[in-house]
């Protein structure tokens, strides 16, 4: 049978937080023994105590480190963080690999593009076996940077283009693939800056735009939930040409480009197809879109389709009305 301390750690792993009473019931020990075992885990740094008396709760100690941005090496930073995660609540090897990929990509962006003074990395061990890592810098903000570099009118427009992949202001040194794959490598991904958030929920296969309280700098949150994180090899294979091994496939969430639930204008279509000639296969996800207009469909499926015959457009998640309009545009 596992040692009492290991059984307590397993209990915290499942529930996120535990009380003295939880340990009494799970281990079949006295309240005094449970208190002594919990206190010993607090002293060693494995757990942290929150509250007093009957309100006392114990959870894994969160990690927090601040680094000076200039000269920071993302791989060495993450080696240090990963070692601490392994000591507190080890991840499955595949989950650890996915989190490392996403975290080092995000850290690299903060180092090379934020122009800030510092970078803060935090890791929280949440209930239901979720590990939540965040990277925050105090720089100019990712959406402000993209709008400045590419002339986007708003953070929302920047997100529409960022989601497709291959968006980079330094094509000589970067492929523009980092945030695309990072957003899909973890269970849930959230990129916040300039009071706007791009949110990607892997299990729900959903991508959206939300309000954010982050006004300055950039905050990226990476969540790993055990058993619900894609394997990196499978992820790359999904968007890579099997012969050339190049990033040739992408997925565009159509609703990101609309303000309401209808897409009717050719200008909305132009924003959707911008950057798509870089790919050979594009999945257009119409989830959350109720109505599309004739002009929008004509621009995407007839005008763009004829101008770029090597780009295969695959519309998915369409309601009957949208499917009819898409078929009509393709037949014209």
């Amino acid at each position: 049978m596992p040692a009492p301390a290991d059984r307590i750690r397993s209990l915290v792993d499942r529930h996120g937080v535990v009380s003295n009473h939880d340990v009494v019931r799970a281990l079949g020990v006295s309240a005094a023994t449970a208190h002594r075992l919990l206190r010993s885990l607090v002293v060693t740094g494995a757990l942290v105590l929150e509250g007093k008396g009957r309100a006392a709760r114990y959870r894994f100690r969160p990690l927090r480190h601040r680094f000076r941005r200039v000269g920071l090496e993302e791989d060495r930073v993450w080696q240090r963080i990963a070692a601490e995660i392994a000591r507190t609540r080890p991840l499955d090897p595949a989950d650890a690999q996915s989190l490392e990929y996403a975290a080092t990509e995000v850290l690299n962006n903060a180092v090379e593009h934020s122009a800030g003074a510092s970078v803060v990395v935090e890791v929280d061990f949440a209930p239901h076996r979720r590990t939540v890592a965040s990277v925050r810098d105090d720089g100019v903000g990712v959406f402000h940077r993209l709008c400045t570099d590419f002339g986007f009118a708003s953070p929302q427009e920047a997100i529409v283009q960022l989601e497709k992949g291959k968006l980079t202001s330094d094509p000589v040194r970067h492929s523009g693939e980092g945030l695309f794959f990072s957003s899909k490598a973890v269970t849930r991904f959230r990129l916040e800056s300039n009071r706007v958030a791009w949110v990607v929920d892997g299990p729900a296969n959903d991508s959206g735009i939300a309000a954010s309280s982050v006004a300055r700098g950039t905050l990226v949150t990476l969540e790993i939930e055990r058993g619900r994180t894609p394997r990196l090899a499978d992820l790359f294979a999904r968007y890579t040409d099997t012969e050339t091994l190049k990033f040739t496939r992408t997925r565009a969430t159509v609703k990101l480009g609309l303000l309401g639930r209808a897409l009717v204008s050719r200008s909305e279509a132009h924003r959707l197809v911008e950057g798509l000639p870089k790919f050979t296969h594009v999945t257009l996800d119409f989830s959350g879109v109720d109505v599309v207009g004739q002009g929008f469909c004509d621009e995407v499926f007839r005008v763009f389709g004829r101008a770029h015959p090597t780009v295969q457009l695959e519309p998915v998640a369409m309601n009957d009305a949208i499917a009819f309009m898409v078929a009509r545009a393709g037949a014209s």
Side-chain angles (χ1 to χ4, degrees):
M1 179 178 292
D6 291 333
R7 294 174 67 187
I8 292 175
R9 291 167 69 97
S10 179
L11 194 66
V12 180
D13 187 29
R14 292 196 305 272
H15 300 289
V17 295
V18 298
S19 66
N20 195 77
H21 182 63
D22 294 329
V23 174
V24 168
R25 289 191 302 172
L27 274 63
V29 297
S30 67
T33 298
H35 179 73
R36 177 177 54 79
L37 291 169
L38 287 165
R39 289 298 304 172
S40 67
L41 288 170
V42 171
V43 170
T44 60
L47 301 182
V48 61
L49 168 64
E50 298 176 344
K52 296 180 180 180
R54 292 185 177 181
R57 296 293 183 271
Y58 300 82
R59 60 195 294 257
F60 288 124
R61 183 180 299 277
L63 311 178
R64 188 179 191 276
H65 296 284
R66 179 184 294 273
F67 304 94
R68 183 171 178 265
R69 182 188 66 84
V70 176
L72 191 64
E73 297 181 51
E74 69 274 7
D75 57 336
R76 292 190 176 183
V77 168
W78 193 252
Q79 286 173 8
R80 174 180 175 181
I81 301 297
E84 294 187 26
I85 292 174
R87 287 195 296 269
T88 303
R89 185 169 69 177
L91 295 172
D92 293 335
D95 289 351
Q97 185 182 42
S98 294
L99 181 57
E100 178 181 8
Y101 171 82
T104 52
E105 286 287 346
V106 169
L107 279 165
N108 179 262
N109 282 340
V111 171
E112 296 197 4
H113 303 297
S114 73
S118 63
V119 178
V120 176
V121 180
E122 297 186 77
V123 180
D124 188 36
F125 303 95
H128 310 298
R129 296 178 175 177
R130 293 180 295 118
T131 301
V132 184
S134 67
V135 177
R136 182 161 191 168
D137 65 66
D138 55 359
V140 298
V142 60
F143 300 136
H144 174 80
R145 182 66 178 264
L146 291 173
C147 289
T148 299
D149 289 348
F150 293 95
F152 298 137
S154 66
Q156 290 81 357
E157 185 176 336
I159 292 171
V160 170
Q161 306 310 324
L162 187 61
E163 189 207 29
K164 301 169 188 173
K166 295 192 178 184
L167 183 68
T168 176
S169 56
D170 188 3
V172 174
R173 301 178 61 238
H174 296 279
S175 64
E177 299 178 15
L179 282 178
F180 175 87
F181 284 106
S182 295
S183 71
K184 295 171 172 56
V186 293
T187 312
R188 296 174 187 86
F189 172 93
R190 186 178 178 96
L191 173 62
E192 301 179 67
S193 178
N194 310 109
R195 299 195 182 279
V196 176
W198 172 33
V199 185
V200 181
D201 187 325
N205 197 27
D206 190 33
S207 176
I209 298 175
S212 167
S213 61
V214 178
R216 178 175 174 78
T218 300
L219 171 63
V220 184
T221 305
L222 310 166
E223 180 179 315
I224 292 287
E225 184 177 344
R226 194 174 301 175
R228 306 193 75 183
T229 303
R231 293 177 62 252
L232 274 184
D234 296 338
L235 174 62
F236 285 117
R238 193 180 311 154
Y239 296 99
T240 302
D241 182 90
T242 56
E243 295 182 0
T244 66
L245 301 182
K246 292 182 178 180
F247 174 31
T248 59
R249 304 168 67 91
T250 191
R251 185 182 189 91
T253 307
V254 180
K255 70 178 180 181
L256 295 183
L258 56 84
L259 297 177
R261 297 181 71 86
L263 288 160
V264 296
S265 71
R266 291 184 184 271
S267 61
E268 290 172 316
H270 292 160
R271 286 194 294 272
L272 175 64
V273 301
E274 183 179 347
L276 295 187
K278 300 174 185 177
F279 303 93
T280 60
H281 187 282
V282 179
T283 300
L284 300 176
D285 185 349
F286 281 87
S287 299
V289 180
D290 291 340
V291 178
V292 294
Q294 182 273 332
F296 174 86
C297 286
D298 184 64
E299 194 68 33
V300 173
F301 295 99
R302 186 183 68 81
V303 177
F304 177 86
R306 290 183 179 180
H308 303 280
T310 61
V311 182
Q312 179 185 353
L313 299 178
E314 180 191 5
V316 300
M318 300 179 289
N319 61 30
D320 291 342
I322 293 175
F324 172 79
M325 294 299 292
V326 169
R328 187 170 180 270
S332 60

